[in-house]
């Protein structure tokens, strides 16, 4: 725990206790606990307990949703041979890689482009916040009407631009269906990257740029040697946040395509959900959950190490 | 001379990008609106302009809003999101203040923050089974309160991260002076620090409210009839009647509008909050 905590940007220690009039140690301790314990206890209660429960579940087989018998590590062994699970994992990895990459590039690029005095930037910022708060399930169902293949708005536009017969099978073709799911996720989350990058860009020390410009630095040079290094830690943090959320993806593929056609858009969470609540194979579903948790933790800790390096270099 | 030409093209390019971005973001909302006011036959046609290309109607809005299940779902969603946001904000604000103003040694402030933040790493599908079994044991299946509790838990990192940063940025002198004058920590917190972070508190409350309004996986798993919130109502539309674009339009908007309108109203503070959470968290 203390190992990973160093990965965070340095937390300025509050000088209060050192600076303030003497208060007896026990009283301070009691006050401190009063503030922090409710949240700590709450989280322990509602995450640690279910995790332990899930761990126990994962050692049992289930029949009709009732515990059947102890099976040891059988549920975990199944993880290695289950083709459908592997397909779900593959779909998720493709989804995460593509969406997060596009969202980072598009969001950062837009922020760079619009980080200047432009009329209407505030309106744009206000509107960009909308997709972030749009209910993902609703976005998925809305997608069904947007991607409607015969006469939907998108294919009408495609037909207009490329001629009749060039309509795209958005939801009926396996490859296009995955692309359709990814486009909706990109629609929803690119604004998040954009808004945070824009705010961060505006917080950069302007005198550095002035000085560089006086020294004859060109636009690309300023970007390469000032903007990019200063933005790197923030970009890594946004990347981390997006990665963590993208691995959990469930709502949009469930509502837009129900995992289909075939298993083309059946992401990991949807597969696990079906294992648990369609087939009531709770033990196996729990084992699947732990595999996902393990994968996400692995990626987070790798990235965290990288972020720590950046912050130490900087500070 | 050349410099000026570049700026002009640059301006046109930037303007073009802004227009494309706006259309890209807004079009889905507009399309949902169109579907919701089209007659069933018109929804399958690529028509874009009401009155000119088709005759708009409010029938679907009226008939959808008359459905008891939908009214109840709106009420359920309100209870769940307001309850979860309030609970998470209370617990989170207290913890945030502690992290900003006290020094913890074992575990340290840094590891406590990381631990709170790490709750977001846990994929909900990992705990969905235990919660389902647990709520079944407690006879809390199909109850809005189970969803209030769960949403509050998974939202807790937001107020903690955002508000601890805001508390840290408050000048400490006021609080020190009050301490010297004999005020208790609780008094200092409620009378001095809390009023100063109200904008941040409102922003985090809205973020939490919107995210719990939008939450789908737990809602789908733990409700079956009387506690069903809006996101599950949309998902159910398909089973009973096939995808009927006009009803989808109404339901999609009914579901999306409350959180998006709230976010729009508080957008300045929300952007600040999101940025504090991400950049300095």
């Amino acid at each position: 725990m203390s190992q990973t905590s160093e990965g965070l940007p340095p937390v300025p220690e509050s000088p209060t206790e050192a600076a303030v009039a003497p208060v007896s140690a026990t009283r301070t301790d009691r006050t401190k606990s009063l503030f922090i314990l409710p949240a700590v206890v709450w989280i322990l209660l509602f995450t640690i307990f279910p995790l332990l429960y899930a761990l126990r579940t994962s050692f049992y087989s289930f029949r009709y949703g009732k515990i059947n018998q102890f099976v040891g590590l059988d549920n975990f062994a199944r993880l290695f041979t289950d083709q459908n699970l592997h397909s779900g994992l593959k779909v998720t990895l493709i989804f995460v890689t593509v969406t997060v990459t596009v969202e980072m590039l598009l969001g950062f690029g837009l922020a760079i482009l619009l980080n200047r005095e432009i009329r209407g930037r505030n309106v744009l910022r206000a509107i960009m916040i909308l997709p972030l708060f749009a209910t993902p399930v609703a976005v998925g169902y809305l997608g069904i009407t947007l991607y409607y293949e015969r006469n939907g708005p998108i294919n009408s536009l495609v037909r207009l631009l490329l001629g009749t017969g060039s309509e795209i099978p958005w939801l009926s073709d396996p490859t296009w269906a995955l692309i359709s799911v990814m486009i909706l996720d990109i629609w929803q989350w690119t604004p998040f990257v954009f808004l945070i990058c824009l705010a961060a860009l505006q917080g950069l020390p302007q005198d550095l740029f002035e000085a560089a410009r006086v020294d004859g630095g060109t636009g690309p040079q300023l970007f390469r040697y000032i903007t990019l290094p200063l933005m790197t830690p923030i970009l890594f943090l946004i990347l981390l946040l997006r990665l963590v959320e993208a691995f959990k993806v469930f709502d949009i593929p469930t509502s837009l395509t129900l995992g289909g056609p075939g298993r083309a858009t059946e992401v990991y969470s949807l597969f696990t959900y079906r294992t648990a609540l369609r087939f009531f194979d709770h033990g196996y579903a729990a084992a699947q959950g732990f595999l996902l948790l393990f994968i996400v933790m692995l990626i987070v800790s790798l990235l965290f190490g990288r972020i720590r390096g950046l912050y130490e270099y900087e500070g | 001379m050349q410099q000026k030409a570049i700026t002009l093209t640059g301006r046109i390019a930037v303007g073009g990008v802004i227009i494309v971005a706006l259309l890209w973001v807004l079009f889905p909302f507009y399309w949902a609106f169109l579907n919701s006011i089209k007659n069933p036959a018109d929804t399958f046609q690529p028509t874009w302009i009401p009155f000119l290309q088709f005759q708009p109607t409010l029938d679907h809005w009226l008939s959808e809003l008359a459905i008891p299940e939908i009214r109840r779902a709106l009420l359920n969603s309100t209870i769940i999101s307001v309850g979860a946001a309030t609970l998470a904000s209370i617990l989170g604000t207290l913890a945030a203040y502690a992290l900003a103003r006290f020094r913890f040694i074992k575990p340290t402030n840094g590891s406590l923050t990381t631990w709170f933040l790490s709750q977001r790493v846990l994929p909900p599908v990992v705990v969905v089974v235990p919660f389902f079994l647990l709520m079944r044991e407690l006879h809390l299946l199909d109850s809005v309160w189970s969803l209030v509790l769960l949403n509050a838990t998974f939202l807790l990192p937001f107020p903690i991260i955002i508000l601890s940063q805001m508390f840290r940025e408050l000048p400490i002198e006021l609080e020190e002076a009050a301490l010297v004058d004999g005020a208790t920590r609780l008094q200092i917190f409620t009378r001095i620090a809390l009023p100063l972070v109200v904008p941040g508190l409102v922003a985090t409350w809205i973020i939490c409210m919107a995210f719990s309004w939008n939450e789908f996986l737990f809602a789908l798993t733990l409700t079956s009839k009387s506690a069903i919130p809006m996101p599950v109502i949309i998902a159910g539309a398909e089973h009973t009647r096939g995808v009927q674009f006009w009803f989808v339009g109404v339901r999609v908007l009914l579901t999306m509008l409350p959180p998006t309108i709230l976010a729009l109203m508080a957008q300045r503070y929300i952007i600040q909050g999101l940025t504090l959470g991400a950049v300095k968290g």
Side-chain angles (χ1 to χ4, degrees):
Chain A
M1 216 57 207
S2 59
Q3 191 77 31
T4 47
S5 71
E6 288 157 32
L8 280 178
V11 179
E13 292 291 352
S14 134
T16 334
E17 281 169 57
V20 165
V23 187
S24 76
T26 47
R27 207 183 116 196
T28 318
D29 280 348
R30 210 179 308 144
T31 323
K32 282 203 282 196
S33 319
L34 184 75
F35 278 94
I36 199 123
L37 271 184
V40 173
V41 171
W42 187 275
I43 286 185
L44 283 177
L45 209 65
F46 283 98
T47 60
I48 303 296
F49 178 66
L51 275 178
L52 291 176
Y53 199 104
L55 191 63
R56 178 171 166 269
T57 311
S58 66
F59 295 120
Y60 287 87
S61 71
F62 278 73
R63 185 169 285 173
Y64 309 116
K66 294 252 189 294
I67 276 196
N68 187 28
Q69 59 172 349
F70 185 81
V71 293
L73 291 173
D74 278 8
N75 285 323
F76 290 94
R78 285 167 74 187
L79 296 173
F80 293 98
T81 53
D82 187 341
Q83 296 293 326
N84 294 333
L85 177 76
H86 297 170
S87 138
L89 189 58
K90 197 179 123 200
V91 170
T92 307
L93 286 175
I94 295 173
F95 173 88
V96 170
T97 314
V98 174
T99 56
V100 173
T101 309
V102 174
E103 285 158 13
M104 292 296 294
L105 290 177
L106 217 56
F108 186 43
L110 259 183
I112 296 272
L113 196 67
L114 301 181
N115 180 31
R116 59 182 91 184
E117 291 308 315
I118 300 171
R119 241 181 317 149
R121 191 177 60 194
N122 289 337
V123 179
L124 179 72
R125 246 190 346 203
I127 288 175
M128 282 299 236
I129 210 169
L130 294 176
L132 281 179
F133 289 90
T135 316
V137 184
V139 173
Y141 273 90
L142 186 50
I144 296 178
T145 71
L146 289 168
Y147 289 125
Y148 173 51
E149 283 168 22
R150 204 154 59 84
N151 260 332
I154 301 180
N155 263 356
S156 299
L157 192 70
V158 171
R159 194 183 300 140
L160 193 72
L161 294 175
L162 304 174
T164 315
S166 55
E167 291 90 346
I168 294 168
W170 292 104
L171 300 177
S172 55
D173 177 81
T175 311
W176 281 107
L178 185 56
I179 294 174
S180 302
V181 170
M182 295 195 289
I183 290 176
L184 287 189
D185 190 82
I186 290 165
W187 176 83
Q188 182 146 47
W189 289 106
T190 303
F192 175 76
V193 182
F194 165 75
L195 288 171
I196 293 177
C197 281
L198 188 62
L201 282 172
Q202 289 173 345
L204 295 183
Q206 289 307 310
D207 44 341
L208 267 181
F209 291 93
E210 308 269 313
R213 238 176 254 126
V214 169
D215 289 344
T218 61
Q221 282 176 327
L222 295 188
F223 177 75
R224 172 68 187 81
Y225 294 105
I226 303 180
T227 311
L228 210 52
L230 284 176
M231 287 293 289
T232 306
I234 291 155
L235 288 174
F236 261 97
L237 270 169
I238 302 175
L239 177 66
L240 185 75
L241 291 173
R242 278 311 305 138
L243 275 178
V244 166
E245 296 295 323
F247 267 102
K248 301 182 197 169
V249 62
F250 176 80
D251 299 9
I252 289 181
T254 304
S255 51
L256 182 66
T257 56
L258 258 175
R263 293 183 181 277
T265 57
E266 192 179 58
V267 291
Y268 197 104
S269 286
L270 178 54
F271 182 75
T272 302
Y273 174 82
R274 283 180 166 159
T275 308
L277 293 143
R278 287 289 167 271
F279 305 112
F280 294 101
D281 198 347
H282 296 317
Y284 184 38
Q288 290 173 9
F290 281 112
L291 177 63
L292 181 61
L293 184 60
F294 173 76
I295 294 170
V296 180
M297 293 287 274
L298 192 71
I299 289 167
V300 167
S301 51
L302 286 176
L303 257 180
F304 240 31
R306 186 85 183 89
I307 293 177
R308 177 170 49 198
L310 289 167
Y311 272 96
E312 274 165 6
Y313 173 74
E314 198 196 354
Chain B
M1 208 45 215
Q2 201 193 2
Q3 193 73 35
K4 207 156 205 170
I6 289 170
T7 6
L8 188 65
T9 3
R11 273 191 174 177
I12 294 170
V14 169
V17 169
I18 292 182
I19 289 171
V20 171
L22 286 179
L23 285 178
W24 164 262
V25 166
L26 288 177
F27 183 74
F29 293 101
Y30 181 61
W31 193 252
F33 172 69
L34 281 189
N35 275 333
S36 76
I37 58 165
K38 278 180 172 183
N39 284 308
D42 291 326
T43 52
F44 298 106
Q45 295 304 318
T47 44
W48 314 68
I49 310 158
F51 294 110
L52 219 60
Q53 290 179 313
F54 66 91
Q55 198 53 43
T57 168
L58 282 177
D59 287 357
H60 316 311
W61 282 94
L62 296 176
S63 62
E64 283 288 284
L65 281 171
I67 298 175
E69 282 83 6
I70 289 190
R71 292 187 187 190
R72 184 147 67 182
L74 284 168
L75 181 67
N76 286 340
S77 278
T78 309
I79 297 173
I80 292 164
S81 55
V82 169
T86 309
L87 199 56
S89 297
I90 294 172
L91 293 169
T93 311
L94 287 171
Y97 186 74
L99 287 174
R101 286 292 186 248
F102 302 124
R103 182 178 301 165
F104 293 90
I105 294 159
K106 212 172 165 188
T108 63
N109 293 45
S111 30
L112 275 169
T113 310
T114 312
W115 182 70
F116 282 126
L117 200 59
S118 70
Q119 303 310 314
R120 292 298 302 173
V121 175
L122 181 67
V125 79
V126 178
V127 286
V128 92
V129 175
F131 277 128
F132 176 77
L133 299 175
L134 187 71
M135 294 302 172
R136 195 171 64 182
E137 292 299 314
L138 296 173
H139 299 287
L140 272 176
L141 280 183
D142 202 26
S143 148
V144 285
W145 303 113
S146 62
L147 289 175
V148 169
L149 301 181
L150 293 192
N151 279 309
T153 309
F154 284 87
L155 291 168
L156 205 42
F158 288 115
I160 293 178
I161 301 303
I162 296 171
L163 286 168
S164 67
Q165 203 55 49
M166 293 205 162
F167 281 127
R168 255 181 222 122
E169 283 176 4
L170 296 180
I172 200 161
E173 291 77 16
L174 272 176
E175 294 174 44
E176 286 173 351
L179 255 191
V180 173
D181 288 345
T184 65
R185 267 292 174 189
L186 202 60
Q187 285 171 329
I188 293 173
F189 170 71
T190 52
R191 304 254 175 87
I192 301 177
L194 200 55
L196 291 174
V197 295
V198 164
L201 193 57
V202 171
T204 37
W205 188 86
I206 290 178
I207 292 172
C208 291
M209 189 264 164
F211 284 0
S212 46
W213 178 287
N214 292 343
E215 199 282 329
F216 178 57
L217 179 56
F218 288 131
L220 181 67
T221 314
L222 300 176
T223 65
S224 52
K225 195 161 185 283
S226 63
I228 287 178
M230 279 312 283
V232 181
I233 281 280
I234 305 185
E238 199 182 17
H239 299 299
T240 47
R241 302 189 287 202
V243 180
Q244 297 177 320
F245 287 8
W246 49 103
F247 289 128
V248 168
V250 176
R251 290 178 183 201
V252 158
L253 285 176
L254 272 180
T255 312
M256 291 204 295
L257 283 182
T260 46
I261 287 175
L262 264 182
L264 201 57
M265 288 192 323
Q267 53 107 358
R268 187 183 298 271
Y269 299 116
I270 285 177
I271 292 172
Q272 196 193 356
L274 283 175
T275 316
L276 275 178
V279 174
K280 297 181 177 172

